[in-house]
């Protein structure tokens, strides 16, 4: 953005502080025994995450930020070991080689390149090998040919699909397509297929972002490569937008407009037909490409939000339910007592100890799952950052984050079937409250999600 004179970046002055905080956090999360990184502070090494961190460290160093030699040396050793490990998925190994090459370990990248190239992988994996070959001054043609073989051409667009090999959760269409266009730009910025790839990315934008934060980061990196390598033609001319044959607005394209985030046209629902609506864009004059997207947003006002469980690709549904149970000491034998639960029908007494039970029914295995449960306003966790006293120590989730108004659980994988999460609250302030729905969502495929029904809770 700076290279193109787009200096009006929100929170730009905070970037150095954010980078320093990020580097400190990465240093804390680095596994001291191996030098690699997982998804959490105390878990197994993840080849993909280790490559991702190394990619970030290389980017920080190129921008002039200091990365400690100790952290970088240990990380390179860990990444090299993972790249050579036969059990590492080939896509992850390709990412590791690219990250190592960016950080100066060209020896490992060269020695493992041919072996990884011969492996069966997705289009995004081959894209990393194209970029690695470019960095190493090697022939990019073999990897590019394999990447092209996986490209999908349809409706005047070009993209790469998530693989069907059944072993990798870390890839999706947006991320792979972003890597594909980056590889194309590195090899031949004048490749005529590049615009078809950009068109596909723009058509798959969700509002102001792409699916998830990670997908958005990958797509933005691809767009920056495009802006710095391709010299576009004149932005002149006009674009007329029509809705159902009626002109809504005409935009005159000027160089100054290129510095805007986007040109938006909002159409109220009152101007839409109850059936099919036709949106037409007409271009006159100018030769530079124009990318567009159309988004439909609907807000439904209702007093009590019902449960939501959209059907997946195979028609199966992910569901989640929530219960508020009262914890009471009950006799468990002649000389023993134990904490047991009883139903409350959401009618609580001030001071009650409440066990919240979330039941998730997954129709298939899921990866990188987020579960968020908002608290009723009159209830509080026992202490900030702790909702423990959980009965079962056999946790199947990997992380917990307790906030003032909700609790979030993170699971790297959820197997098919029913799963239960329980945590504790205390009924604190008398009143009638609404608890917003529990959300279960695949973090990197947010279209896979479900919500419990809104709950009404009374505290006396």
């Amino acid at each position: 953005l700076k290279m193109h004179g787009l200096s009006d970046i929100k929170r730009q002055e905070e970037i150095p502080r954010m980078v320093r905080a990020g580097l400190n956090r990465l240093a804390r999360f680095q596994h001291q025994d191996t030098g690699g990184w997982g998804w959490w502070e105390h878990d197994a090494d993840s080849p993909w995450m280790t490559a991702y961190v190394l990619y970030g460290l290389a980017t920080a160093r190129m921008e002039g930020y200091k990365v400690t030699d100790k952290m970088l040396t240990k990380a390179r050793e860990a990444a090299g070991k993972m790249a050579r490990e036969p059990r590492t998925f080939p896509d992850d190994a390709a990412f590791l080689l690219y990250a190592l090459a960016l950080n100066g370990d060209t020896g490992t990248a060269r020695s493992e390149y041919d072996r990884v190239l011969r492996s069966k992988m997705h289009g995004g994996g081959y894209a990393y090998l194209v970029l690695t070959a470019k960095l190493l001054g090697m022939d990019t043609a073999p990897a590019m040919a394999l990447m092209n073989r996986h490209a999908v051409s349809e409706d005047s667009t070009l993209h790469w699909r998530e693989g069907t090999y059944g072993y990798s959760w870390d890839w999706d269409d947006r991320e792979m397509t972003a890597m594909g266009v980056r590889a194309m730009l590195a090899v031949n910025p004048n490749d005529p297929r590049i615009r078809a790839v950009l068109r596909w990315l723009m058509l798959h934008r969700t509002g102001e972002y792409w699916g998830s934060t990670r997908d958005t980061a990958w797509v933005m990196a691809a767009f920056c490569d495009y802006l710095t390598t391709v010299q576009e033609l004149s932005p002149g001319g006009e674009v007329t937008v029509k809705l159902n044959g009626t002109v809504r607005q005409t935009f005159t394209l000027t160089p100054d407009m290129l510095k805007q985030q986007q040109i938006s046209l909002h159409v109220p629902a009152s101007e839409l037909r109850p059936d099919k609506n036709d949106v037409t864009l007409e271009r006159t004059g100018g030769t530079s490409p124009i990318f567009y997207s159309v988004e439909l947003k609907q807000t439904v006002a209702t007093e009590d939000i019902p449960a939501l469980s959209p059907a997946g690709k195979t028609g199966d549904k992910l569901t989640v339910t929530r219960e508020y149970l009262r914890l009471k000491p009950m006799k468990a034998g002649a000389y023993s007592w134990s904490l047991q639960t009883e139903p409350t029908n959401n009618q609580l007494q001030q001071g009650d100890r409440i066990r919240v039970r979330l039941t998730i029914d997954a129709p298939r295995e899921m990866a990188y799952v987020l579960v968020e449960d908002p608290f009723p306003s009159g209830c509080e966790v026992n202490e900030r950052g702790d909702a423990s006293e959980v009965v079962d120590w056999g946790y199947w989730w990997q992380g917990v984050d307790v906030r003032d108004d909700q609790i979030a659980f993170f699971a790297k994988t959820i197997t098919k079937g029913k799963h239960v999460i329980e945590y504790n609250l205390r009924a604190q302030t008398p009143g009638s409250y609404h608890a917003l729905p529990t959300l279960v969502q695949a973090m990197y495929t947010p279209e896979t999600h479900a919500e419990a029904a809104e709950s009404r809770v009374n505290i006396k």
Side-chain angles (χ1 to χ4, degrees):
L1 293 173
K2 291 177 184 177
M3 291 172 65
H4 286 264
L6 306 177
S7 58
D8 186 20
I9 306 171
K10 289 183 179 179
R11 303 174 69 180
Q12 181 175 348
E13 67 281 357
E14 297 184 32
I15 291 176
R17 179 188 60 78
M18 293 167 68
V19 173
R20 287 193 296 270
L23 290 171
N24 289 335
R25 182 177 174 85
L26 290 173
R28 180 163 59 88
F29 272 59
Q30 187 175 25
H31 297 161
Q32 296 307 309
D33 55 336
T34 64
W37 282 268
W39 285 82
W40 317 104
E41 188 171 0
H42 305 291
D43 62 352
D45 283 350
S46 164
W48 191 95
M49 186 58 73
T50 300
Y52 191 18
V53 173
L54 272 171
Y55 169 74
L57 295 180
T59 306
R61 292 172 65 212
M62 285 187 284
E63 289 297 312
Y65 295 96
K66 181 173 176 55
V67 177
T68 63
D69 292 338
K70 180 180 178 181
M71 178 167 66
L72 187 57
T73 299
K74 293 184 65 176
R76 285 172 42 169
E77 291 174 355
K81 184 177 179 180
M82 293 177 196
R84 290 186 289 268
E85 173 59 56
R87 291 176 298 176
T88 300
F89 295 145
D91 299 278
D92 295 342
F95 191 10
L96 284 163
L97 297 187
Y98 177 56
L100 285 167
L102 283 174
N103 283 279
D105 187 356
T106 57
T108 302
R110 285 182 183 277
S111 64
E112 295 299 314
Y113 186 89
D114 287 339
R115 179 186 65 82
V116 176
L117 182 63
R118 291 192 299 269
S119 304
K120 188 177 183 181
M121 67 182 78
H122 306 122
Y126 293 119
Y128 281 120
L129 292 181
V130 171
L131 293 171
T132 303
K134 183 72 174 179
L135 283 172
L136 299 177
M138 298 167 55
D139 185 9
T140 60
M144 179 62 79
L146 290 168
M147 189 186 85
N148 290 338
R149 191 181 302 172
H150 286 74
V152 179
S153 178
E154 57 186 18
D155 299 329
S156 301
T157 67
L158 190 71
H159 72 284
W160 284 265
R161 283 194 179 130
E162 183 181 8
T164 56
Y165 309 140
Y167 61 69
S168 178
W169 290 98
D170 286 327
W171 303 83
D172 63 24
D173 297 1
R174 292 176 293 259
E175 185 180 325
M176 285 197 298
T177 301
M179 288 311 306
V181 75
R182 293 192 73 183
M184 295 167 71
L185 287 163
V187 173
N188 179 15
N190 298 316
D191 191 323
R193 302 172 301 160
I194 288 174
R195 290 186 182 181
V197 182
L198 296 178
R199 188 179 300 115
W200 186 92
L201 288 171
M202 288 302 297
L203 289 174
H204 288 77
R205 186 172 67 162
T206 307
E208 296 182 348
Y209 62 97
W210 281 262
S212 67
T213 52
R214 195 174 79 185
D215 285 350
T216 301
W218 252 249
V219 173
M220 291 304 297
F223 285 176
C224 287
D225 282 1
Y226 177 78
L227 288 173
T228 54
T229 56
V230 176
Q231 297 296 320
E232 285 297 354
L233 302 178
S234 168
E238 293 182 340
V239 174
T240 299
V241 182
K242 294 181 180 180
L243 175 64
N244 296 323
T246 302
V247 175
R248 284 285 309 172
Q249 194 165 343
T250 297
F251 299 95
T252 301
L253 304 179
T254 64
D256 288 339
M257 294 185 75
L258 296 179
K259 297 183 180 181
Q260 298 183 29
Q261 284 188 335
Q262 60 186 4
I263 305 170
S264 300
L265 175 60
H266 299 278
V267 178
S270 60
E271 297 188 22
L272 297 177
R273 295 172 177 170
D275 54 359
K276 180 182 178 182
N277 290 266
D278 293 317
V279 179
T280 307
L281 280 74
E282 297 179 353
R283 168 73 176 273
T284 56
T287 54
S288 60
I290 296 174
F291 300 100
Y292 66 91
S293 61
V294 179
E295 180 185 18
L296 177 65
K297 284 186 178 180
Q298 182 183 33
T299 302
V300 180
T302 179
E303 179 63 19
D304 292 288
I305 303 172
L308 174 69
S309 182
K313 294 179 180 179
T314 60
D316 297 325
K317 290 187 176 183
L318 170 71
T319 63
V320 57
T321 58
R322 173 174 58 195
E323 300 173 83
Y324 295 108
L325 306 172
R326 183 178 290 108
L327 274 173
K328 294 184 68 175
M330 297 183 182
K331 221 170 183 183
Y335 304 102
S336 62
W337 293 71
S338 66
L339 283 175
Q340 299 183 36
T341 60
E342 65 177 17
T344 65
N345 197 29
N346 294 357
Q347 304 299 311
L348 314 179
Q349 297 291 325
Q350 186 178 24
D352 276 351
R353 298 170 68 184
I354 304 301
R355 177 154 294 163
V356 184
R357 178 177 295 162
L358 309 176
T359 303
I360 301 162
D361 193 351
R364 59 174 179 81
E365 185 176 0
M366 298 171 59
Y368 310 120
V369 178
L370 168 67
V371 181
E372 290 181 314
D373 189 41
F375 304 143
S377 297
C379 295
E380 294 182 2
V381 293
N382 296 327
E383 59 179 282
R384 178 68 187 273
D386 184 17
S388 57
E389 301 179 16
V390 182
V391 181
D392 181 14
W393 286 96
Y395 302 150
W396 51 267
W397 57 89
Q398 282 74 42
V400 180
D401 187 13
V402 181
R403 303 293 179 90
D404 289 332
D405 59 347
Q406 67 176 352
I407 187 169
F409 297 87
F410 306 91
K412 191 172 182 180
T413 58
I414 289 184
T415 57
K416 179 181 178 180
K418 288 192 175 182
H419 303 267
V420 175
I421 294 177
E422 292 184 341
Y423 69 93
N424 294 315
L425 292 175
R426 185 178 296 277
Q428 193 78 13
T429 308
S432 297
Y433 304 98
H434 292 247
L436 291 173
T438 308
L439 169 68
V440 178
Q441 183 179 60
M443 295 169 63
Y444 300 114
T445 53
E447 59 270 20
T448 302
H449 68 283
E451 294 181 6
E454 177 183 345
S455 302
R456 292 192 180 211
V457 176
N458 294 312
I459 303 176
K460 295 181 180 180

